[in-house]
Amino acid sequence: MGKAYRSLSELEDAEISYLRAQQIYDSLECDLEKANTLRGLAEIQRLQARYGDAEESLAVAQAIYYSLGNDLGQANALLGLGQMNYRKGNYAEAKASFSQARELYSKINHDLGQANALDGLGKTCFEQHKYKQSKDFYSKARSIYSRIGKRISEVSEVRWKALLALDKVTKDLGYTPSYVKMKLGQEAKALMKKYQGKGVTQWKDDWVLFWVWER
């Protein structure tokens, strides 16, 4: 019921549906179904930008999956927790959740889950300015996505290009990070003048330098 409501963007009705289902499964002591319902509820809360509530729902679901020995469910909940913490800017907590999810996905040979967890680690490290770690995680994620026929998200692709641009400048010129940032700043200002009044439709090739500088 909740999924049908969500497809129609009737989020409040969907939340009521999930809460009712949770009560029923709780009374019947159907723990797996309750955990699955909590994950669905967390998605509704995420769509409503209620990240704290979503995090709480996922934490309860993760604990239930753990008690049941359900590695896939636990990994999915941890991946969701990582996303919630990332959105809230809690990067240390996000990194811990993504790392735990990655370990569980690896344990059960779940390629897509591993790639998604690595992608989460890549973007988290990027926001922490840990560019070498970010590049390593993104490289591994891209490798898995390519092997299973999936594409990395457009935002992650931009970060990857930004990392390659930063890496190239650093390796080719041998400048210190502060000097590189200054040079990228000069490039960014030139780009702002170049694209002023033209929108950012051409940003995919050139805008990565501005992206890195902005971080």
Side-chain angles (χ1 to χ4, degrees), residues 1 4 12 14 22 25 38 53 62 74 98 101 110 114 126 129 150 159-160 174 178 180-181 188 200 202 205 207:
M1 288 292 289
E12 291 184 359
Q22 181 186 345
Y25 291 135
L38 282 165
D53 290 338
Q62 189 265 330
Q74 190 181 353
F98 286 135
H110 195 292
Q114 288 185 68
F126 192 96
H129 299 181
K150 299 288 184 179
R159 290 195 186 98
W160 173 251
S178 60
V180 168
K181 194 170 183 66
V200 292
Q202 305 173 67
D205 293 324
W207 209 255

Side-chain angles (χ1 to χ4, degrees), residues 15 19 22 37-62 77 80-81 84-85 87-88 90:
E15 181 175 8
L19 288 171
Q22 181 186 345
T37 300
L38 282 165
R39 279 188 57 220
L41 177 61
E43 175 63 10
I44 295 299
Q45 293 164 335
R46 181 190 70 80
L47 292 171
Q48 295 173 317
R50 292 163 50 197
Y51 302 129
D53 290 338
E55 184 179 355
E56 183 177 344
S57 296
L58 286 168
V60 176
Q62 189 265 330
L81 283 168
M84 292 306 104
N85 278 303
R87 287 178 176 273
K88 292 165 63 179
N90 299 332

Side-chain angles (χ1 to χ4, degrees), residues 2-177:
K3 291 182 180 179
Y5 281 127
R6 187 178 62 188
S7 68
L8 299 174
S9 298
E10 298 176 352
L11 300 180
E12 291 184 359
D13 288 338
E15 181 175 8
I16 292 172
S17 177
Y18 277 121
L19 288 171
R20 287 175 178 169
Q22 181 186 345
Q23 291 175 349
I24 293 171
Y25 291 135
D26 201 20
S27 66
L28 295 174
E29 298 184 356
C30 298
D31 289 341
L32 178 59
E33 291 78 6
K34 178 182 177 181
N36 291 338
T37 300
L38 282 165
R39 279 188 57 220
L41 177 61
E43 175 63 10
I44 295 299
Q45 293 164 335
R46 181 190 70 80
L47 292 171
Q48 295 173 317
R50 292 163 50 197
Y51 302 129
D53 290 338
E55 184 179 355
E56 183 177 344
S57 296
L58 286 168
V60 176
Q62 189 265 330
I64 295 173
Y65 287 128
Y66 177 79
S67 70
L68 295 173
N70 188 318
D71 289 336
L72 178 58
Q74 190 181 353
N76 288 336
L78 284 164
L79 184 68
L81 283 168
Q83 300 289 4
M84 292 306 104
N85 278 303
Y86 174 82
R87 287 178 176 273
K88 292 165 63 179
N90 299 332
Y91 299 128
E93 291 85 348
K95 190 173 182 179
S97 293
F98 286 135
S99 296
Q100 292 178 63
R102 177 192 178 188
E103 291 178 6
L104 287 168
Y105 285 129
S106 178
K107 177 182 175 183
I108 60 178
N109 297 313
H110 195 292
D111 288 338
L112 180 58
Q114 288 185 68
N116 290 338
L118 285 163
D119 182 77
L121 286 166
K123 68 183 183 181
T124 301
C125 287
F126 192 96
E127 293 300 330
Q128 294 177 307
H129 299 181
K130 297 178 180 178
Y131 297 126
K132 288 185 179 180
Q133 291 184 40
S134 180
K135 184 183 176 186
D136 181 56
F137 287 131
Y138 271 134
S139 178
K140 292 175 181 177
R142 287 168 59 86
S143 177
I144 297 175
Y145 281 132
S146 177
R147 176 161 51 82
I148 64 178
K150 299 288 184 179
R151 295 187 63 181
I152 198 167
S153 71
E154 185 174 358
V155 172
S156 292
E157 184 67 20
V158 171
R159 290 195 186 98
W160 173 251
K161 288 183 178 181
L163 289 166
L164 293 180
L166 180 60
D167 194 46
K168 185 177 187 302
V169 171
T170 305
K171 285 184 177 179
D172 290 353
L173 303 181
Y175 295 140
T176 63

